[in-house]
Each structure stands twice: as structure tokens, then as C-alpha cells.
Amino acid sequence: MLETKNITVTYNNTIEALKEISLEVPPGNIYGIIGPNGAGKSTLIKAMLDLLPHSGYTLYNDKPIKTQRKNLSYVEQKSNIDTTFPMKVIDCVILGIFPTLNPLQRPGKHAKQKAEEALKKVNMYDYRNRQISDLSGGQFQRILIARTIIQDADLVFLDEPFVGIDITSENIIIKLLKEMARQGRTILIVHHDLSKVNKYFDGLILLNKSLIAYGATSDVFTGEHIKRAFGSEILVSSEQGGADNDSAIRE
Ligand code: ADP
Ligand code: MG
């Protein structure tokens, strides 16, 4: 069980980005972290992972998350990663294995094999000797997922993995993440597009600085909750996108 208690984050002692967030995520589930721009979604992930100053704490199986580094994988927002760095695809994937090695170990033949298997899973094996700078956004995101796969972590955090990528990559990635969840892992995905919420997530964490609701998607994804989180912004996006079955919000 992943358990967060009373997380509050105040940037520069002035901007209160998150206020007293407490929640639990049971294993074997994919949870979406949902909320408007600036709601504190990325901040929540970073605070849960102890990557920025905060009050409150996060436990995984009753142990502080700090002590679980080898057992967690974090894919940060793509826009924050330098993809022009000269590196071959296969080497980028092999890097994923480093957190699981002891300090004196170097990745060997076995690591390469695992990386190749992971590349096959994301349909990128044929690209293994290309430079990462030559990949499209969706292909690069698939490489990051391959890296997560070989890390073999029980806890997986992804920040906006589907932004700016093609639908083929998105489908491959969500299928693999669902598979990982079915193996008993805990997957948290920051996501701001409401149209696929029902399809993608077993549960939701809905926030806008404070926690609006969390739990099973069917309980959280209601008109009233969404209105409380998004306010008038939701009216704009539904006018633009129109309603279909995927985006049907329960009243
Ligand atoms: P989201 O991911 O939901 O779009 P963020 O977690 O990135 O939101 O940001 C939440 C709030 O905190 C925003 O008002 C943002 O401007 C502010 N913020 C984020 N990072 C910093 C930072 N490093 N310094 C100061 N303010 C920040
Ligand atoms: Mg963000």
C-alpha cells in the first residue's frame, strides 16, 4: 500500500502549491492524478518521492519512500529531459538498470539482453542502434517506458507521459502499464486530459491545491467533483472537444 499523509508544499515560502494531501493507493492499480494546470500534480509526485521540501510523509508498505529508491521508477515530464544528448537508444534503456545494481557493479551482457527484450515490448527493437535525438516524441516516450520495464520497480510514477505523442505510442504504453499493474505494481500517472479517464484509470486522485476526491474512478469521476476541481475551465474544453462515450462524466 502506498500511503501519503498531510503533504503540504509551499514554494519560496510564499506559493502554497499543495495543502494537506492525504491519500492511499492500493497495489495492482493504475491511478490518474488529475487536475487543471497549476493544480500541483507534478508537485505532488515530487513531494511523494521526496524530491522537494515538504511537510508530511509518504510510506510504501509502511516504510518511508526514501528507503525504497531501488523499488521505484519515475518518468518525469518529457519537456524537462534533454533529448539532444548523444546516446544510442539501447544505452538509454540500459541506464534504467543502474538503480538496481550495487555501486561496484556495471551492467553486463544480461542487462543488454533485458534492454533488448524491453525494446521489443515497446516495438522499438529496430531502433536500438539509433541516436535518441533522432526519435519522435512518441518513440522517445516508448524508450522511457522500456527503461521503466527493465527497472522492474513495484512503484511507477509518470508525469504527463502522453502529452504530444502519437496515438500508436500512447496505446502501446497504456497497454504495458496496465500489464504492469495486473502484476501487482502501483502505477501513478499525472494526466490532464479528461477524455480517456474511464478507459485508462482504475482510480483517480483529483486535486486543485487541495484534494477534491480520490478512490475508484467510478466514485471520483463525477460532474460535481470535476466542477470543483476545474471550475469554468471544463466548460471551455468540453465546448472544444465535444462529448463522446469516453468522456462521459457521471452525474
Ligand atoms: P501541475 O503539474 O498541476 O500543472 P505544478 O505542480 O507544476 O502544477 O505547479 C503547482 C504550482 O506551483 C503552480 O502555481 C506553479 O507555478 C508553482 N510551482 C511549481 N514549481 C515551482 C517552483 N520550482 N518554484 C515556484 N513555484 C513553483
Ligand atoms: Mg505538471
Side-chain angles (χ1 to χ4, degrees):
M1 182 75 89
L2 178 66
E3 190 186 354
T4 284
K5 268 272 179 325
N6 282 328
I7 284 195
T8 295
V9 176
T10 311
Y11 285 112
N12 310 323
N13 287 322
T14 49
I15 307 162
E16 194 171 63
L18 285 178
K19 203 176 163 191
E20 287 171 35
I21 309 287
S22 296
L23 53 89
E24 287 176 1
V25 180
N29 285 284
I30 303 189
Y31 265 56
I33 301 176
I34 309 286
N37 268 333
K41 303 182 295 296
S42 299
T43 301
L44 177 60
I45 285 200
K46 288 180 197 156
M48 288 174 86
L49 293 173
D50 229 350
L51 298 174
L52 50 72
H54 61 90
S55 60
Y57 60 87
T58 298
L59 305 175
Y60 181 62
N61 292 342
D62 301 320
K63 285 181 243 145
I65 204 141
K66 240 190 247 180
T67 64
Q68 311 267 317
R69 293 254 185 263
K70 284 187 180 176
N71 201 15
L72 65 88
S73 173
Y74 168 45
V75 180
E76 66 177 311
Q77 240 166 313
K78 199 174 72 233
S79 49
N80 297 337
I81 303 172
D82 179 10
T83 53
T84 61
F85 192 78
M87 192 190 300
K88 281 206 296 186
V89 164
I90 184 90
D91 295 326
C92 182
V93 176
I94 288 172
L95 274 181
I97 217 161
F98 269 94
T100 65
L101 300 177
N102 74 48
L104 296 176
Q105 258 179 312
R106 289 284 165 269
K109 213 173 167 182
H110 182 60
K112 194 174 171 218
Q113 262 170 20
K114 280 180 82 170
E116 285 175 353
E117 280 165 30
L119 280 169
K120 283 178 189 162
K121 282 194 176 164
V122 296
N123 241 340
M124 287 295 291
Y125 182 72
D126 293 346
Y127 290 75
R128 64 195 179 283
N129 291 319
R130 302 260 192 111
Q131 289 293 313
I132 56 169
S133 55
D134 293 343
L135 304 179
S136 74
Q139 290 171 333
F140 184 69
Q141 196 62 265
R142 283 193 254 164
I143 298 309
L144 295 183
I145 297 300
R147 192 149 105 172
T148 294
I149 290 171
I150 73 168
Q151 254 176 289
D152 206 17
D154 286 330
L155 271 171
V156 180
F157 291 71
L158 305 107
D159 199 341
E160 307 264 17
F162 305 123
V163 167
I165 76 171
D166 58 287
I167 191 67
T168 306
S169 297
E170 182 165 337
N171 288 338
I172 288 171
I173 290 169
I174 194 70
K175 185 170 159 257
L176 288 168
L177 292 172
K178 282 187 178 185
E179 229 173 83
M180 290 166 83
R182 298 293 94 89
Q183 293 162 350
R185 299 170 210 267
T186 305
I187 320 261
L188 261 69
I189 305 179
V190 171
H191 191 69
H192 75 247
D193 168 17
L194 295 178
S195 71
K196 302 220 171 107
V197 158
N198 277 320
K199 235 189 217 167
Y200 285 4
F201 303 121
D202 305 308
L204 296 179
I205 295 162
L206 184 64
L207 78 157
N208 194 349
K209 292 196 176 98
S210 311
L211 188 66
I212 310 285
Y214 80 96
T217 300
S218 53
D219 295 331
V220 175
F221 200 48
T222 65
E224 196 229 315
H225 286 150
I226 297 297
K227 209 151 94 188
R228 270 172 56 202
F230 285 81
S232 54
E233 197 181 306
I234 184 70
L235 296 174
V236 177
S237 61
S238 64
E239 271 166 23
Q240 284 171 344
D244 58 34
N245 278 340
D246 290 343
S247 62
I249 294 169
R250 291 172 181 81
E251 292 296 341

